[in-house]
């Protein structure tokens, strides 16, 4: 059997990437390929057990080393282009592996960017080895994409600490995390000005898993409850009142990686559809000889190329410190996730009834792709955000030309 690969070599050859990224794509893609069969054997086990196993494996083999800047340099450069390439490869190979990798990186990144030296020393070495699992807890049932609406309260105590009361919802890794990065309302100002980020160990008295949630694609997922949960002043991540800034900084960086994961899912679906079209016979010949099939496969290829270019551009903009990189991150997430949904659906249609068989590649992808259009900013919110960044100066120049 030929090895699986998620990457388009022509995209990797573009100036968006350098030789370190190409080496990473080769080595990490091969690592994923070697483990795909093993991951398939355990995917139906308990999602908590599988998630912990995958985080430990990623850490043990050095693929999370970039989460600890004090450690010896590992095989991952640690920039956003590398993160996107890794998510693309993992999503192509196994959804749960991408989930384990992405949530661990999501939880560690606020520490990397805003944590004190002591906080970083305490958490990051273990997160980089996979021996400590993290989660990012911002969403609430009444505050999803609208972070400014967060209602979980963190009231100051006489001793300088805080007491947390309220709930968090839809928390990835919520059932297995050993530390939560929590966004709560401390009241320095109205709306987004009154939020603060906290580091809350999962064994802190007063924090508990309120509900374990099932999902269309199984994984660790939970609602959390905070009931008189007391944390010291040292639990504050960054500065009081800067929680909204921390949350948005994280989401703006990780939205492009969601696009990269969507690209991995979509490429796997397109490859599966192409392979089936070459072998399935219809009307006396292979399905791929049908004109409509050729048009459909061509559309898939165009969609994949466009998504790959948008993701690469967004990651390159962020890595070079472009001030408007967030706009490109939002564009990449919106386009890649929406088109990936269409590609997966088209792949199912090309395979016909066999594409609907439980646990087939396309049936799994059909369930796995759907959440990407929701989390870390829904497609509707992405459209509104992108519209808010349109270049008014260009519109003014065009108006004068009419």
């Amino acid at each position: 059997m030929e090895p699986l690969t998620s990457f388009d070599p022509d995209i990797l050859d573009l100036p968006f990437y350098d030789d370190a990224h190409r080496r990473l794509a080769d080595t990490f893609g091969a690592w994923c390929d070697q483990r795909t069969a093993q991951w398939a054997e355990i995917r139906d086990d308990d999602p908590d057990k599988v998630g912990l196993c995958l985080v430990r494996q990623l850490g043990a083999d050095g693929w999370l080393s970039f989460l600890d800047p004090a450690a010896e340099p590992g095989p991952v450069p640690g920039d956003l282009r590398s993160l996107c390439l890794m998510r693309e490869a993992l999503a192509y190979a196994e959804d749960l592996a991408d989930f384990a990798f992405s949530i661990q990186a999501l939880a560690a990144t606020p520490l990397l960017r805003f944590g004190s030296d002591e906080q970083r020393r305490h958490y990051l070495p273990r997160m980089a080895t996979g021996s400590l699992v993290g989660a990012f807890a911002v969403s609430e049932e009444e505050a999803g994409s609208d972070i400014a609406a967060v209602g979980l309260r963190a009231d100051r105590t006489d001793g300088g600490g805080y007491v947390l009361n309220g709930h968090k919802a839809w928390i990835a890794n919520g059932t297995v995390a050993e530390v939560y990065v929590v966004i709560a309302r401390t009241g320095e100002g109205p709306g987004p000005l009154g939020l603060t980020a906290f580091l809350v160990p999962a064994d802190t008295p007063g924090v508990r898993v309120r509900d374990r949630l099932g999902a269309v694609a199984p994984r660790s997922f939970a609602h959390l409850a905070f009931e008189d949960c007391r944390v010291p002043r040292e639990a504050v991540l960054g500065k009081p009142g800067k929680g909204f800034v921390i949350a948005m900084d994280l989401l703006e960086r990780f939205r492009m990686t969601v696009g990269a994961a969507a690209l991995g899912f979509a490429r796997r679906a397109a490859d599966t559809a192409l392979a089936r079209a070459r072998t399935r016979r219809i009307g006396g010949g292979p399905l791929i000889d049908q004109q409509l099939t050729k048009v459909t496969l061509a559309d898939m290829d165009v969609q994949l190329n466009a998504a790959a270019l948008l993701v690469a551009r967004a990651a390159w903009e962020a890595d070079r410190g472009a001030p408007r990189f967030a706009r490109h991150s939002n564009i990449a997430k919106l386009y890649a996730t929406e088109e990936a949904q269409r590609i997966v659906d088209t792949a199912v249609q090309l395979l016909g009834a066999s594409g609907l068989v439980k646990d087939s590649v396309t049936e799994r992808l059909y369930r796995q792709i759907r959440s990407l259009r929701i989390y870390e900013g829904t497609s509707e919110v992405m459209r509104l955000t992108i519209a808010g960044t349109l270049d008014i100066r260009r519109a003014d120049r065009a108006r004068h030309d009419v």
Side-chain angles (χ1 to χ4, degrees):
M1 184 171 121
E2 292 184 4
L4 296 171
T5 178
S6 68
F7 301 115
D8 181 339
D10 293 333
I11 296 290
L12 286 172
D13 280 341
L14 294 173
F16 286 127
Y17 299 106
D18 58 32
D19 287 342
H21 298 114
R22 297 177 191 105
R23 287 192 297 270
L24 174 65
D26 286 341
T27 56
F28 191 64
W31 184 85
C32 290
D33 183 45
Q34 291 165 8
R35 283 152 184 80
T36 300
Q38 172 202 346
W39 292 340
E41 290 178 0
I42 65 173
R43 88 164 52 102
D44 292 329
D45 293 346
D46 176 67
D48 290 0
K49 178 182 175 182
V50 175
L52 286 172
C53 174
L54 291 169
V55 172
R56 308 281 194 250
Q57 187 178 62
L58 285 159
D61 286 1
W63 299 115
L64 298 173
S65 59
F66 66 98
L67 299 179
D68 181 15
E72 292 293 324
V76 184
D79 58 5
L80 280 162
R81 283 168 291 177
S82 299
L83 197 60
C84 285
L85 290 172
M86 295 176 78
R87 288 206 64 181
E88 181 182 345
L90 287 165
Y92 189 100
E94 174 55 52
D95 167 58
L96 286 173
D98 170 64
F99 179 80
F101 174 82
S102 63
I103 302 305
Q104 187 75 342
L106 186 77
T109 296
L111 271 158
L112 276 167
R113 292 185 54 76
F114 299 98
S116 67
D117 290 342
E118 182 178 351
Q119 289 170 335
R120 290 160 65 129
R121 284 194 300 267
H122 183 72
Y123 290 108
L124 290 180
R126 289 179 292 156
M127 296 184 83
T129 60
S131 59
L132 183 142
V133 177
F136 182 62
V138 60
S139 296
E140 298 175 8
E141 289 175 280
E142 302 299 327
S145 296
D146 184 9
I147 297 173
V150 160
L152 174 69
R153 289 207 56 81
D155 296 313
R156 287 182 176 84
T157 65
D158 292 340
Y162 294 81
V163 57
L164 279 63
N165 280 286
H167 301 92
K168 289 295 179 183
W170 327 116
I171 305 306
N173 269 358
T175 54
V176 298
E178 293 151 286
V179 62
Y180 302 114
V181 179
V182 179
I183 305 298
R185 184 162 300 283
T186 49
E188 281 76 12
L193 301 178
L195 302 178
T196 298
F198 294 89
L199 293 165
V200 182
D203 60 1
T204 304
V207 60
R208 63 181 175 84
V209 173
R210 181 165 60 99
D211 293 300
R212 293 173 179 267
L213 304 173
V216 66
R219 68 265 317 268
S220 170
F221 213 37
H223 292 338
L224 305 178
F226 296 81
E227 299 163 346
D228 293 329
C229 175
R230 294 179 179 273
V231 296
R233 178 191 301 123
E234 292 75 22
V236 172
L237 178 62
K239 296 180 180 180
K242 299 299 181 183
F244 182 82
V245 172
I246 291 173
M248 290 307 301
D249 177 85
L250 180 66
L251 294 176
E252 287 168 352
R253 293 173 183 280
F254 269 75
R255 281 169 178 158
M256 67 185 76
T257 78
V258 178
L263 180 60
F265 288 136
R267 202 178 297 283
R268 183 71 182 273
D271 287 351
T272 301
L274 176 59
R276 179 62 170 158
R278 293 173 62 186
T279 58
R280 182 185 181 189
R281 299 189 65 79
I282 186 170
L287 179 61
I288 198 170
D289 285 348
Q290 300 290 320
Q291 291 294 322
L292 186 56
T293 302
K294 292 178 180 179
V295 170
T296 299
L297 293 171
D299 285 343
M300 282 184 171
D301 196 52
V302 172
Q303 292 164 319
L304 286 171
N305 271 274
L309 289 169
L310 287 171
V311 169
R313 196 247 173 109
W316 175 75
E317 295 278 12
D319 286 340
R320 74 186 187 95
R324 282 164 57 90
F325 84 86
R327 167 181 167 81
H328 300 291
S329 186
N330 295 337
I331 290 172
K333 180 191 187 293
L334 173 64
Y335 185 86
T337 57
E338 290 287 326
E339 296 309 305
Q341 181 83 60
R342 293 186 179 94
I343 289 171
V344 171
D345 186 74
T346 301
V348 172
Q349 199 72 14
L350 274 174
L351 267 70
S354 66
L356 300 173
V357 174
K358 182 174 174 55
D359 205 40
S360 65
V361 171
T362 48
E363 186 269 344
R364 292 198 315 273
L365 290 170
Y366 200 81
R367 289 184 286 107
Q368 292 160 358
I369 193 63
R370 187 59 183 87
S371 63
L372 273 62
R373 294 167 57 208
I374 295 175
Y375 69 68
E376 296 184 34
T378 66
S379 293
E380 292 75 17
V381 169
M382 291 298 92
R383 289 184 172 97
L384 290 173
T385 304
I386 294 164
T389 63
L390 293 176
D391 193 334
I392 303 302
R393 292 170 300 176
R394 291 176 59 188
D396 285 343
R397 288 197 298 270
R399 179 170 56 86
H400 289 305
D401 290 339
V402 174

